[in-house]
Amino acid sequence: TGTQLHKLVASDAAASDEFGYSVAISGNYAIVGARYNDDGGSNSGSAYIFNVSTGTELHKLVASDAAANDYFGYSVAISGNYAIVGAYLNDDGGSDSGSAYIFNVSTGTELHKLVASDAAASDQFGISVAISGNYAIVGARYNDDPGDSGSAYIFNVSTGTQLHKLVASDAAASDYFGYSVAISGNYAIVGAYSNDDVPNDSGSAYIFNVSTGTQLHK
């Protein structure tokens, strides 16, 4: 019908939180990111889970190790009873190396903190996230294989284990592979918006087999 059902606002809405910077929905749950919320320090970020049918806020999500300028909530995704939230300026593997967090949607409990096996400063792991069933994908647009070529990582959602690191078969500097990611079933797609095939910054995307990590198509 195109009818608006609910307007969602955070229970603790405050100036400059940017609630709504990222959104995702699955079944009867929705998640909304507020990258500049200040609970764990200035611009630490948060996310909120809502009941879609009623519009009721169910949980406020914050990282267990929230810190200033992490931007938790910059990216969000949800599938069934799991949600993933990116904090691409988290500093565990060096300044702005990035991280992502998996939550139980029905309880709001943090289950895993995800970091890349080769985390390095300025990778921005968590700039993009997606989830489908028991697989999650996290993009790191500034990973350096080679310089700022970008990468993405596949994780087992229930265990938090990294399964594959994805890189483009023709990875080149400043392609920014991993700036956008999506996943459905056994397929994942990763965008590289500055790939230079035809011509400069024309862009490309790559499809991968999730269970094997194999690139199927450019």
Side-chain angles (χ1 to χ4, degrees):
T1 65
T3 306
Q4 180 182 313
L5 302 177
H6 308 289
K7 178 177 181 179
L8 309 180
V9 293
S11 54
D12 60 345
S16 301
D17 276 358
E18 293 197 357
F19 174 94
Y21 188 84
S22 57
V23 296
I25 193 166
S26 176
N28 199 42
Y29 293 108
I31 185 170
V32 182
R35 63 173 177 166
Y36 289 156
N37 185 260
D38 299 324
D39 278 19
S42 179
N43 300 336
S44 53
S46 63
Y48 300 78
I49 302 286
F50 291 84
N51 179 302
V52 169
S53 57
T54 65
T56 305
E57 182 184 313
L58 302 176
H59 308 290
K60 178 177 182 180
L61 310 180
V62 293
S64 53
D65 59 346
N69 298 317
D70 276 356
Y71 295 176
F72 174 97
Y74 182 91
S75 55
V76 298
I78 190 168
S79 177
N81 200 40
Y82 293 106
I84 185 169
V85 181
Y88 77 105
L89 296 185
N90 184 260
D91 299 323
D92 278 18
S95 179
D96 299 347
S97 54
S99 63
Y101 301 77
I102 293 179
F103 291 84
N104 179 301
V105 170
S106 56
T107 66
T109 306
E110 182 184 312
L111 302 176
H112 308 290
K113 178 177 182 178
L114 309 181
V115 293
S117 55
D118 59 345
S122 302
D123 277 357
Q124 293 191 359
F125 173 97
I127 191 76
S128 57
V129 297
I131 193 168
S132 177
N134 200 40
Y135 292 108
I137 184 170
V138 181
R141 64 171 171 174
Y142 289 153
N143 186 255
D144 296 325
D145 293 327
D148 291 349
S149 54
S151 63
Y153 301 78
I154 302 286
F155 290 84
N156 180 300
V157 170
S158 57
T159 66
T161 305
Q162 182 182 310
L163 303 176
H164 308 290
K165 178 178 180 178
L166 309 180
V167 293
S169 55
D170 59 346
S174 300
D175 277 357
Y176 304 156
F177 173 97
Y179 183 79
S180 56
V181 296
I183 191 169
S184 179
N186 199 40
Y187 294 104
I189 186 168
V190 182
Y193 71 95
S194 285
N195 184 257
D196 298 325
D197 278 15
V198 278
N200 185 53
D201 293 346
S202 54
S204 62
Y206 300 78
I207 293 179
F208 291 84
N209 180 301
V210 169
S211 56
T212 65
T214 306
Q215 182 181 311
L216 302 176
H217 309 289
K218 178 176 180 178

